[in-house]
């Protein structure tokens, strides 16, 4: 039968898709794919799978939206217990045999998606997963190794509990470390053993008295007797007694004599227990915040309850008397809270001097400094102004009133900032132009015959203050025959021979243009009155004529003006190009005719110019109406404030005079009036600004001092704006001070105790049946009233003392009413005072009272002395220093000592001479600490000290700039500084220096390629080299002088070294050529080569031309007038490109330290062969050569003033310190001086003795003569003085010294147990807490914290009752600062077959527990059979061995047969080497040897192996001796052979 469903296929569902839906929440749906898959992994048809098993492919879901994030969140459960990993896999805990650090484990927790509001689980976990991945459910953990309980060693055995019969002895131990992490429990802390001192003569413990514990306090049945009666009630109320109800009762205890049935009841007075009673809660107080603030802190309201009755007799303590809750004001009309904002004053003037280093030479003259600086302003807190204009006007005064800075919650604005003073830009002027023509001063008015020649220069930058502050720009020279227009010779046309001939004399027609005095072309009609240049006579050489070159250009004028001894001259020259034929030709002129000289600059050397003075102060111009102050202020660049007086237009004047150069002031008519500068200009009067100050702040709070010290309070106002431009001055008084009117307030509360009242006895009705009881005397109880007072003397509510004061003093104490037969005396009076130390005595007295005065036994002065005498003490005091020296502290108020101190504005606070202090301590003759005034000391030793002043890094001044590294194009120039002194004591650091301690500044420079030019003189006369001089032609040589000269705007001037000019461009100084003969064609010199077309290639050519000067004779031809050559790259053709340098360092003005500067770069035109050439060869492109930049300012660290000295850190003792601190106001920037490390200083407080009440050790437990039962321990309280260090116990002093201190309320007595009834079994008192111990392994903390423990052991007196003993107890608690202990097994020496083995802690304490039991050494080593052979003993291995110097002789079955002496092998050369070995086992040292079968009898042999299986030492000795002997025999044989 075949199934219809294939078993090899199954339904496979895919993951659910994203939940989709139109609305947020549960209404969504999600789907998934479901398919039929074959077991081999491929998909098949759905029909092949069982349709009944097909899972759903769609389900409803929760559609998550973004706002669900605020509703749902992951809820994390607590981590469960750490489970070992092994248990997770096997289910069984498999702990390792030896645990070192612990076992790895896993702990889990529950994680669920819940609603934030109520914690209800979400519909789907996917809601939380949508926003955040599910937190992890497991984490690794560490299960520490089990720690067994560790206990100490036992104490010695106690003495026997009985003096006869059978008793018990016990010894106890205590717990040092509790069992942890599953370790072994603590063993028994007590061991018992019986003892029998001897037989008893009678019954045991016949008179063993046992005292029971006191029963509860109760009142007698017949009547209740109260401490307060009507007479006392009024007094009690006056002293605050209304706060408790003291009711005296009685309590009993049982006293039992064992073995005799007899009981006696004893009584004592007690106070009935009354719990604290308080009133109901009051209503909540109004909210402390009565205004609305959106994001501000909430207010607080409180409710209280009062104490009705204080607890007495051990009653329940009072609960909390005050509750507080946060609150916000409720209801309509709650006003908004007052907001406080920071306000600032105006910035002070920008100061550059605060940034100067110590060595800066500009410190001597601070005028003219510019660039980066620092400015400050003051900060104050004011009430923010209201938005409502009406209320704003009412509160304007309040809004400017400074208040406490703590009210301003926003971050305070900066009080220091960097600023910038613009550096003055000097006028940068061009060079003077050439002198212009003589022209009329005004071409529109030519009536005057006076004229001037002018030369000008221009301003090429924008100077500070405008061009009006620049020097004069025009100079004038008087001249005659002025004209406004003249003809300019442009060029001469070609020479045309006369009479239309081909050669001979002719004329050249000039080409002219009409120009004005500025050289500008104008209409030719304007030059109608000027003399037109005439045609110039010239000559075209004929074939036989002498040929001269054209005239060279006129040289520069030799002088700029002409005077008596100077006259300007210009020269020009020409040379002979070809000589005449001698017959029929025009002869060449002589050499003098080849040069021409003419006068130039023939004007006199009298130069005039207008000189201006500085503009004067702007004064009011009454002729101009006032302008709007705001507009005027805007034009003037001055801020205008409301209430300032109107700004107005004024005028400024300056002085203008005519000055003759090198002479001085001359009459104004000497200078051209047309160019006279203006002497008056309008200006804007600066607006007046009055001083503006805030209102006075509120008076400061009176200091919260306690006492009659004089207290002051002050208030201040702050200058907001300083006066300017004649405004109203600031008031001189800015602070006011007055005495505090409020009374001194001593904060704090204290308990005040009143007199003890009458001693109250146990009611007589209760004790009248007691033997020996007397109605009117005996022990009783007395009470006193306690009230709460303020430290300044006023009475306060009890709740204040319960909250703020120390523990309340006791209300009751035991007392004794004397009986009639008792002697009654008054208390001792105080000792009389001593008039002088070491002289006389002091006494105190007391008196008998009542009937005691008449009793003889009371008059016995031996028993009841009525006076005591003491010698007056010899108080000798010794002062000595204590503690360290304080920090060096400068005198208050900035006082400095001589030249040692300095305070530079902007530098870190003072340095120089100060003082340091060391505390003085005063001891009396008993080495007890006393007040320092006893030693006539003010409490300090004072010593001068020096706070070293910071010294900045000192560098030299800048060297001069080096010459530019290139004479043509862009290069660099360098200057340097070198280190003169390193910084110390926190001075300004040095900039980065090189290996030779120098710092460099490199800037680009540009050398004009045309500043040095070659200048060639005219060619010399030809020197013909052939012999035939008749023709004076042929080959010849011409020479000329070539010099390198500096080029100026007026042309080459002075000769310089030849290396400054480009050697490649040096003209030839000599040339060989052919001097034309008569009738030869004569050409001019070649012109310049034309430029090659770019790009350079050999196809293109360049050419130069010459022109014809003399026509050739008949039959002769002229050479070519044009010459060409191919263009070759980097030979005669070049490509040109720009090369731009990097930006230079930021350059500042010489008057600036930092701030805004300029960085530059240079542009270079580079030829394709790498040579720098003039920029004109490169295509003109606009580049930015200058850019603004900023040099970081070296701002020194700025610290605040020192705060006032703090309170002393300790109220008494030697270690008290006073501290003061300062904060950083300005972080250092750039190369500024760093902040000092010392931000706080201390000095010692005056030493004061530490007085304290101290309890003596507890006395032994006493039970009023009973042997066993409940008793009391007592201790005394005494006044001690100490130095507060805790290193000494202190010294006992009179109780008066601690009079102002409340004793510690630990109690002067406590219950205890003397012993127990012989049949009892009881626990000891708790031990002290053990030292704090960490869980460590090999000194490493495992991180489980520290713990300490204490324990109680069991004690018993009777052996029969041991089974009825309680369980021993121990308890542990966490602690801090634990230490690691290691536990090690220790062993003693073997004694026979045993030794001591114990566990020792790393601090040397012997313990039980702590050491691993698996590593415990063997304590017993018994051998079987016993080692009874002579010289034998039982070894650690449990087998018999032999003593030293004996070796074992074994039987065949491996047992010791005997011990024999080790044989000795003597070798003469090796000395006497005795083998000191012994062997234990034969054949195999680890397995016992069995007797061979069939072997009879006994046999023995030497055994070479030891019990550890190794050869014994004597075997090596024998082998070495045999080897030496063999070598000796071989050597002798070889020698004999």
């Amino acid at each position: 039968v075949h199934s219809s469903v294939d078993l090899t296929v199954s339904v496979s569902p895919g993951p659910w898709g994203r939940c989709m839906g139109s609305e947020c929440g549960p209404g969504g749906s999600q789907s998934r794919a479901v398919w039929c898959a074959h077991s081999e992994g491929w998909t098949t048809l759905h029909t092949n799978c069982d349709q009944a098993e097909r899972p759903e492919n769609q389900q409803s879901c929760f559609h998550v939206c973004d706002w669900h994030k605020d509703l749902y969140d992951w809820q994390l459960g607590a981590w469960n217990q750490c489970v070992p990993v092994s248990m997770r896999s096997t289910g069984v805990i498999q702990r390792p045999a030896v645990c070192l650090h612990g076992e790895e484990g896993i702990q889990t927790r529950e994680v669920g998606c819940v609603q934030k509001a109520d914690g209800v689980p979400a519909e789907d976990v996917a809601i939380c997963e949508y926003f955040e991945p599910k937190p992890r459910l497991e984490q690794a953990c560490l299960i520490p190794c089990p720690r067994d309980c560790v206990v100490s060693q036992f104490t010695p055995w106690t003495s026997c509990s009985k003096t006869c019969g059978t008793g018990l002895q016990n010894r106890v131990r205590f717990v040092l470390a509790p069992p942890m992490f599953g370790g072994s429990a603590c063993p028994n802390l007590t061991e018992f053993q019986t003892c029998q001192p001897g037989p008893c003569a009678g019954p045991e413990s016949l008179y063993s008295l046992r005292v029971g514990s006191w029963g509860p306090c109760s009142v007698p049945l017949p009547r209740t007797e109260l401490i307060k009666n009507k007479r006392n009630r009024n007094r009690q109320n006056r002293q605050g007694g209304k706060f408790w109800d003291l009711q005296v009762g009685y309590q009993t205890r049982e006293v039992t004599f064992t073995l005799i049935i007899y009981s006696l009841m004893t009584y004592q007075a007690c106070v009935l227990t009354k719990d604290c009673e308080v009133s109901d809660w009051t209503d909540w107080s109004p909210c402390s915040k009565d205004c609305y603030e959106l994001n501000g802190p909430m207010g607080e309201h409180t409710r209280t309850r009062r104490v009705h009755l204080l607890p007495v007799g051990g009653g329940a303590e009072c609960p909390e008397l005050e509750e507080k809750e946060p609150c916000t004001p409720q209801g309509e009309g709650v006003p908004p809270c007052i907001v406080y904002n920071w306000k600032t004053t105006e910035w002070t003037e920008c100061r550059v001097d605060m940034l100067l280093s110590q060595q800066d030479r500009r410190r001597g003259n601070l005028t003219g400094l510019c660039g980066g600086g620092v400015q400050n302003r003051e900060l104050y807190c004011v009430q923010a102004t209201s938005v409502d204009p009406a209320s704003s006007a009412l509160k304007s005064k309040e809004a400017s009133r400074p208040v406490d800075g703590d009210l301003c919650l926003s971050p305070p604005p900066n009080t220091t900032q960097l600023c910038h003073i613009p550096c003055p830009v000097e006028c940068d002027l061009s060079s003077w132009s050439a002198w212009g023509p003589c022209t009329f001063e005004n071409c529109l008015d030519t009536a005057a015959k006076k004229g001037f020649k002018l030369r000008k220069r221009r301003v090429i930058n924008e100077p500070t203050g405008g061009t009006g502050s620049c020097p004069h720009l025009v100079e004038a020279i008087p001249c005659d025959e002025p004209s406004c227009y003249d003809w300019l010779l442009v060029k001469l046309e070609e020479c045309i021979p006369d009479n239309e001939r081909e050669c001979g004399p002719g004329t050249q027609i000039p080409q002219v243009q009409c120009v004005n005095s500025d050289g500008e072309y104008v209409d030719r009609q304007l030059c109608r009155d000027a003399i037109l240049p005439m045609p110039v006579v010239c000559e075209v050489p004929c074939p036989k004529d002498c040929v001269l070159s054209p005239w060279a250009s006129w040289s520069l004028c030799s002088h700029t003006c002409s005077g008596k001894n100077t006259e300007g001259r210009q020269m020009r020259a020409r040379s002979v190009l070809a000589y005449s034929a001698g017959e029929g030709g025009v002869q060449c002129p002589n050499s003098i005719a080849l040069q021409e000289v003419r006068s130039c600059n023939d004007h006199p050397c009298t130069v005039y110019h207008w000189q201006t003075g500085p503009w004067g102060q702007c004064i009011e111009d009454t002729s101009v109406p006032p302008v709007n102050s705001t507009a005027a202020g805007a034009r003037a660049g001055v801020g205008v404030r409301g209430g300032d007086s109107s700004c107005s237009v004024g005028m400024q004047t300056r002085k203008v005079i005519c000055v003759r150069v090198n002479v001085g002031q001359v009459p104004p008519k000497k200078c051209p009036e047309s160019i006279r500068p203006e002497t008056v200009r309008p200006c804007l009067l600066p607006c007046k600004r009055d001083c503006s100050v805030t209102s006075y702040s509120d008076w400061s709070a009176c200091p919260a001092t306690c006492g009659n010290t004089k207290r002051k309070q002050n208030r201040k106002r702050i200058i907001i704006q300083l006066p300017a431009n004649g405004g109203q001055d600031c008031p001189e008084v800015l602070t006011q001070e007055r005495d505090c009117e409020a009374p001194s307030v001593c904060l704090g509360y204290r308990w005040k105790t009143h007199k003890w009242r009458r001693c109250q006895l146990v009611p007589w009705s209760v004790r009248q049946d007691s033997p020996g009881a007397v109605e009117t005397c005996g022990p009783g109880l007395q009470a006193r009233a306690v009230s709460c007072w303020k430290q300044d003397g006023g009475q306060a509510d009890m709740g204040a003392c319960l909250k703020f004061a120390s523990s309340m003093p006791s209300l009751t104490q035991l007392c004794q009413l004397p009986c009639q037969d008792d002697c009654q005396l008054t208390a001792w009076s105080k000792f009389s005072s001593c008039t002088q130390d070491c002289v006389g005595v002091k006494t105190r007295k007391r008196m008998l009272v009542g009937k005691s005065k008449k009793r003889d036994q009371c008059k016995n002065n031996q028993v009841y002395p009525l006076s005591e005498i003491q010698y007056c003490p010899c108080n000798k005091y010794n002062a000595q220093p204590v503690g360290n020296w304080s920090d060096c502290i400068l005198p208050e108020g900035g006082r400095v000592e001589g030249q040692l101190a300095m305070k530079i504005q902007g530098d870190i606070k003072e340095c120089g001479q100060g003082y340091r202090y060391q505390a003085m301590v005063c001891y009396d003759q008993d080495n007890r600490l006393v007040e320092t005034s006893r030693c006539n000391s003010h409490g300090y030793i004072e010593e001068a000290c020096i706070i070293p002043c910071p010294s900045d890094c000192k560098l030299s001044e800048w060297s001069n700039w080096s010459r530019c590294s290139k004479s043509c194009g862009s290069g660099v120039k360098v200057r340097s500084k070198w280190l003169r002194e390193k910084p110390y004591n926190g001075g300004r650091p040095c900039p980065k220096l090189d290996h030779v301690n120098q710092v460099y500044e490199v800037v680009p420079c540009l050398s004009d390629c045309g500043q040095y030019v070659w200048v060639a003189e005219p060619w010399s006369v030809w020197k013909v080299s052939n012999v035939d001089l008749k023709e004076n032609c042929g080959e010849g040589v011409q020479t000329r002088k070539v010099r390198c000269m500096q080029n100026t705007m007026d042309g080459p001037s002075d000769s310089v070294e030849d290396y400054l000019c480009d050697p490649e461009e040096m003209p030839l100084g000599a040339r060989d050529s052919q001097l034309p003969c008569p009738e030869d064609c004569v050409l001019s010199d070649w012109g310049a080569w034309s430029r090659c077309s770019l790009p350079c290639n050999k196809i293109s050519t360049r050419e130069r031309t010459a022109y014809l000067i003399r026509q050739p004779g008949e039959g002769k031809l002229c050479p070519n007038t044009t010459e060409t050559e191919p263009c070759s790259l980097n030979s005669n053709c070049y490509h040109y490109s720009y090369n731009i340098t990097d930006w230079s360092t930021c350059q500042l003005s010489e008057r600036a330290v930092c701030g805004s500067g300029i960085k530059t770069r240079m542009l270079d035109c580079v030829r394709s062969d790498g040579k720098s050439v003039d920029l004109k060869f490169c295509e003109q492109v606009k580049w930015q050569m200058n850019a603004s930049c900023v040099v970081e300012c070296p701002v020194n660290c700025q610290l605040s003033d020192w705060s006032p000295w703090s309170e002393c850190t300790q109220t008494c003792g030697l270690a008290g310190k006073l501290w003061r601190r300062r904060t950083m106001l300005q972080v250092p920037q750039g190369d500024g001086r760093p902040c000092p490390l010392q931000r706080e200083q201390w000095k010692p407080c005056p030493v004061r003795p530490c007085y304290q009440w101290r309890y003596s050790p507890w006395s032994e437990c006493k039970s009023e003569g009973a042997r066993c039962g409940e008793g009391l321990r007592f201790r005394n309280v005494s006044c001690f003085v100490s130095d507060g260090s805790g290193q000494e116990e202190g010294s006992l002093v009179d109780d008066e010294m601690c009079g102002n201190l409340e004793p510690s309320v630990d109690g002067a007595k406590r219950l205890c147990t003397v012993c127990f009834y012989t049949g009892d079994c009881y626990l000891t008192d708790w031990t002290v807490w053990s030292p704090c111990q960490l869980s460590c392994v090999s000194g490493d903390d495992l991180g489980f914290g520290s713990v300490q423990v204490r324990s109680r052991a069991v004690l018993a007196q009777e052996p029969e009752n041991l089974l009825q003993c309680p369980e021993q107890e121990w308890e542990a608690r966490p602690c801090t600062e634990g230490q690691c202990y290691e536990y090690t097994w220790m062993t003693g020496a073997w004694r026979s077959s045993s030794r001591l083995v114990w566990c020792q802690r790393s601090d040397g304490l012997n313990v039980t527990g702590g050491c691993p039991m698996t590593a415990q050494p063997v304590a017993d080593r018994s051998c079987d059979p016993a080692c009874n052979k002579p010289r034998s003993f039982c070894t650690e291995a449990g087998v018999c061995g032999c003593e030293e110097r004996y070796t074992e002789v074994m039987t065949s079955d491996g047992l010791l047969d005997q011990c024999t002496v080790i044989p000795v092998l003597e070798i003469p050369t090796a000395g006497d080497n005795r083998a000191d070995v012994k062997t234990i086992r034969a054949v195999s040292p680890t397995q016992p040897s069995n007797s061979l079968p069939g072997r009879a009898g006994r046999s023995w042999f030497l055994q070479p192996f030891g019990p550890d299986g190794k050869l014994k030492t004597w075997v090596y000795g024998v082998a070495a001796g045999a080897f030496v002997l063999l070598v000796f025999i071989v050597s002798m044989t070889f020698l004999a052979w």
Side-chain angles (χ1 to χ4, degrees), residues 659-674:
V659 174
R660 178 177 173 181
V661 177
N662 298 328
V663 174
Q665 182 175 358
V666 294
K669 63 181 181 179
K670 296 290 186 181
C671 294
E673 186 66 27
S674 60

Side-chain angles (χ1 to χ4, degrees), residues 820-823 848 852 854-861 863-864:
Q820 292 182 357
D821 295 336
D822 295 338
C823 294
L848 293 168
S852 300
K854 299 179 180 180
R855 294 194 181 98
D856 293 335
Q857 70 269 21
C858 295
K859 297 179 181 180
N860 186 351
N861 286 333
V863 180
Y864 302 105

Side-chain angles (χ1 to χ4, degrees), residues 1281-1482:
V1281 65
S1282 67
D1283 59 9
S1285 63
Q1287 300 177 357
E1288 62 174 19
E1289 295 182 358
S1291 303
L1292 181 66
V1293 294
D1294 293 337
D1295 289 351
E1296 300 172 359
M1297 307 304 292
C1298 295
N1300 296 327
L1301 301 175
E1302 290 287 343
S1304 174
V1305 191
D1306 285 344
K1309 64 178 181 178
R1310 70 179 181 185
L1311 295 175
C1312 60
T1313 302
V1314 179
C1315 70
F1316 285 83
Y1317 172 60
T1318 54
D1320 289 343
C1321 188
Y1322 58 94
L1323 294 172
T1324 62
D1325 290 337
W1326 285 106
T1327 61
V1328 296
W1329 288 102
S1330 67
C1332 201
Q1333 180 173 348
L1334 283 169
S1335 298
C1336 303
V1337 173
S1338 302
D1340 296 330
D1341 183 11
L1342 296 179
F1344 293 104
S1346 305
V1347 71
Q1348 57 185 166
V1349 68
R1350 66 176 182 174
S1351 57
R1352 301 174 72 183
V1354 176
L1355 293 181
Q1357 306 294 328
E1358 289 288 346
E1360 294 81 2
N1361 294 326
L1362 288 177
L1363 296 178
Q1364 301 175 5
C1365 291
E1367 294 292 333
Q1368 62 188 20
E1369 296 179 1
W1370 63 265
E1371 61 183 12
R1373 69 179 182 186
C1375 54
T1376 56
E1377 299 182 359
Q1379 51 185 326
C1380 292
Y1381 291 112
E1382 299 292 333
Y1383 297 91
T1384 310
W1385 286 111
M1386 307 295 291
T1387 59
W1390 286 104
R1391 301 296 182 188
S1392 183
S1393 60
S1394 64
R1395 64 178 175 180
L1396 290 176
V1397 175
W1398 71 94
C1399 182
Q1400 189 176 83
R1401 203 165 67 176
S1402 54
D1403 60 351
L1405 187 66
N1406 296 333
V1407 298
T1408 299
C1411 293
M1413 299 304 296
T1414 55
Q1416 183 176 4
V1418 177
D1420 183 74
R1421 58 178 186 184
S1422 301
C1423 293
D1424 186 23
C1427 302
N1428 50 13
K1429 304 295 183 182
R1431 305 290 184 182
S1432 67
F1433 68 96
C1434 189
T1435 65
E1436 293 184 32
V1439 296
C1440 295
C1442 294
E1443 295 179 356
E1444 192 175 350
R1445 299 178 62 187
Y1446 290 84
T1447 189
E1448 298 82 3
V1449 178
M1450 312 299 290
T1451 64
S1452 58
D1453 55 358
L1455 301 178
L1456 181 66
D1457 185 66
Q1458 64 178 352
C1459 293
T1460 183
V1461 178
I1462 297 174
V1464 178
L1465 177 63
E1466 294 185 0
I1467 301 175
T1469 58
D1472 185 11
N1473 295 329
R1474 300 182 180 274
D1476 184 15
V1477 294
K1478 48 183 178 286
T1479 186
I1480 296 176
R1481 188 181 299 275

